[in-house]
Amino acid sequence: MEASQNLLQTPQNFMKDDDVSQECENLISSLPSEKDFMGRNLYNYQGSWYYPSRLQAILNFQKDFKARDTDIILASFPKSGTTWLKALAFAVVHRNKYAPNLVSHPLLSNNPHNLVRFLELDLYVKDQRPDLEEIPSPKIFATHMPFQTLHETLRDSPCKVVYVCRNIKDVLVSRWHFRSKVRNELYSNYSLEDMVDEFIKGDYAFGPFDNQVLSYWKVSLVSSKPVLFMKYEEMIEKPEAQVMRLADFLGCSFTEEEKQSGMVEKILELCSFGNLSNLETNKTGTSAFGIAPHAFFRKGGVGDWKNHLSDDMARKLDEMVEKKLRGSGLKFE
Ligand code: A3P
């Protein structure tokens, strides 16, 4: 109980379910709904499930956000490596302003979630029209919304979107640990098997997984909107190549001189799990959206699901993913 209280630094950010505008209430009354395992209502908006408070923030975003041409949006399903991608993108994009060293870089004194803020979990929760001017340009934002929910808002802008995905079994195990860390009193009766069933059914906050992953996968293949599709496993396996790919996509490729001077390796070291998770700011600090940063660092890496999921759970998830992704060309190794 104590540990979870420490993690929720500013509980007011988790708005009460009924703390929504009349407009949001009207919308909610027209949406399909389901109850989560605690009996809280979830609503399906543009293909994803949300609690009312999150819907309110999404509506705020959709009404107010005007994408600048240079904006960068980092998108992901929760627990897919968002924190890592935030750190890497920030370090890559701002490397001329902040040299990637282990002495004075902003990532050493501030956590990635404060440097790259979530739209619907942070900025648009607190404010219907947050002041985005204070964010240094190029502005980097993050989201867990599917592409179709961003689409209208970003349509007329050449801003760039980077999506990171991860094997669903590792996502699930990571989410399981995260939930028990952050809200252990609420999840004490909730087994890993319950979470597997929830994933199979698809009606959970920000789910279903396949709706989100495929929304970005499809536009990354065909759309005129620039979307870079990244995989956590590839980032772990070939970090240098993936960071260079990220820089190329963001229009700030590493020069030969930078490569020779070890710039890529320095950024990777700065943003590594080992470095970030051991920083005081990430061990004891607070994040702009209410969850203590250390909750975002657990183990890192690929394949921890093998230590947690039974053969039966893994088989059910594999079958579900195989069915949902069939024909899309997207595969998880
Ligand atoms: P595990 O729980 O499997 O360890 P998100 O940032 O989307 O919430 O994802 C959290 C997952 O990314 C956690 O996975 C966490 O440990 C891992 N992670 C956080 N920072 C990382 C980093 N710098 N490098 C690799 N993995 C990282």
Side-chain angles (χ1 to χ4, degrees), residues 229-280:
F229 196 91
M230 302 188 77
K231 290 184 176 172
Y232 181 91
E233 292 75 16
E234 290 175 356
M235 291 163 67
I236 291 279
E237 198 191 343
K238 294 192 172 150
E240 288 86 5
Q242 291 302 315
V243 166
M244 288 195 268
R245 191 173 160 239
L246 177 67
D248 290 345
F249 176 78
L250 296 178
C252 52
S253 300
F254 291 96
T255 61
E256 275 314 310
E257 204 182 334
E258 283 181 319
K259 287 183 197 166
Q260 294 302 325
S261 72
M263 177 67 92
V264 177
E265 290 75 10
K266 281 181 202 158
I267 287 177
L268 285 169
E269 171 57 19
L270 175 67
C271 301
S272 67
F273 181 89
N275 182 52
L276 292 182
S277 62
N278 279 310
L279 294 172
E280 209 46 42

Side-chain angles (χ1 to χ4, degrees), residues 166-177 192 232-233 298-310:
R166 188 182 189 191
N167 183 310
I168 192 173
K169 290 177 284 187
D170 280 335
V171 166
L172 187 144
V173 166
S174 182
R175 185 171 170 120
W176 165 254
H177 284 283
L192 195 54
Y232 181 91
E233 292 75 16
R298 188 182 65 93
K299 193 170 180 185
V302 176
D304 190 38
W305 63 268
K306 291 177 194 146
N307 300 317
H308 294 85
L309 300 183
S310 66

Side-chain angles (χ1 to χ4, degrees), residues 90-314:
F90 184 91
V92 164
V93 165
H94 295 300
R95 66 186 185 273
N96 291 332
K97 205 179 316 170
Y98 308 117
N101 58 50
L102 296 183
V103 182
S104 61
H105 194 277
L107 277 164
L108 301 174
S109 53
N110 216 339
N111 69 76
H113 297 289
N114 286 352
L115 295 172
V116 176
R117 294 176 61 184
F118 280 111
L119 293 162
E120 77 288 4
L121 290 169
D122 176 3
L123 291 163
Y124 283 96
V125 173
K126 293 169 190 163
D127 213 324
Q128 287 183 3
R129 307 186 66 193
D131 180 8
L132 305 179
E133 288 314 311
E134 61 191 28
I135 298 171
S137 265
K139 300 181 194 303
I140 316 176
F141 301 98
T143 186
H144 292 321
M145 292 180 267
F147 185 76
Q148 61 268 22
T149 301
L150 291 180
H151 179 63
E152 278 295 307
T153 317
L154 305 187
R155 197 174 47 186
D156 298 327
S157 161
C159 70
K160 296 191 163 109
V161 178
V162 181
Y163 185 74
V164 60
C165 79
R166 188 182 189 191
N167 183 310
I168 192 173
K169 290 177 284 187
D170 280 335
V171 166
L172 187 144
V173 166
S174 182
R175 185 171 170 120
W176 165 254
H177 284 283
F178 180 79
R179 275 199 183 171
S180 25
K181 234 180 184 180
V182 175
R183 306 275 180 92
N184 59 356
E185 73 278 21
L186 297 179
Y187 287 88
S188 53
N189 292 324
Y190 188 71
S191 69
L192 195 54
E193 200 149 22
D194 290 333
M195 190 174 267
V196 172
D197 290 344
E198 194 181 70
F199 267 50
I200 303 277
K201 224 171 135 222
D203 48 3
Y204 50 92
F206 290 109
F209 175 81
D210 49 283
N211 164 62
Q212 213 224 53
V213 175
L214 287 175
S215 75
Y216 288 95
W217 173 249
K218 285 175 187 162
V219 284
S220 76
L221 297 179
V222 296
S223 166
S224 52
K225 173 107 223 114
V227 174
L228 178 70
F229 196 91
M230 302 188 77
K231 290 184 176 172
Y232 181 91
E233 292 75 16
E234 290 175 356
M235 291 163 67
I236 291 279
E237 198 191 343
K238 294 192 172 150
E240 288 86 5
Q242 291 302 315
V243 166
M244 288 195 268
R245 191 173 160 239
L246 177 67
D248 290 345
F249 176 78
L250 296 178
C252 52
S253 300
F254 291 96
T255 61
E256 275 314 310
E257 204 182 334
E258 283 181 319
K259 287 183 197 166
Q260 294 302 325
S261 72
M263 177 67 92
V264 177
E265 290 75 10
K266 281 181 202 158
I267 287 177
L268 285 169
E269 171 57 19
L270 175 67
C271 301
S272 67
F273 181 89
N275 182 52
L276 292 182
S277 62
N278 279 310
L279 294 172
E280 209 46 42
T281 184
N282 290 326
K283 282 186 184 166
T284 58
T286 59
S287 81
F289 72 110
I291 296 178
H294 71 87
F296 294 91
F297 301 96
R298 188 182 65 93
K299 193 170 180 185
V302 176
D304 190 38
W305 63 268
K306 291 177 194 146
N307 300 317
H308 294 85
L309 300 183
S310 66
D311 290 349
D312 191 45
M313 292 178 193

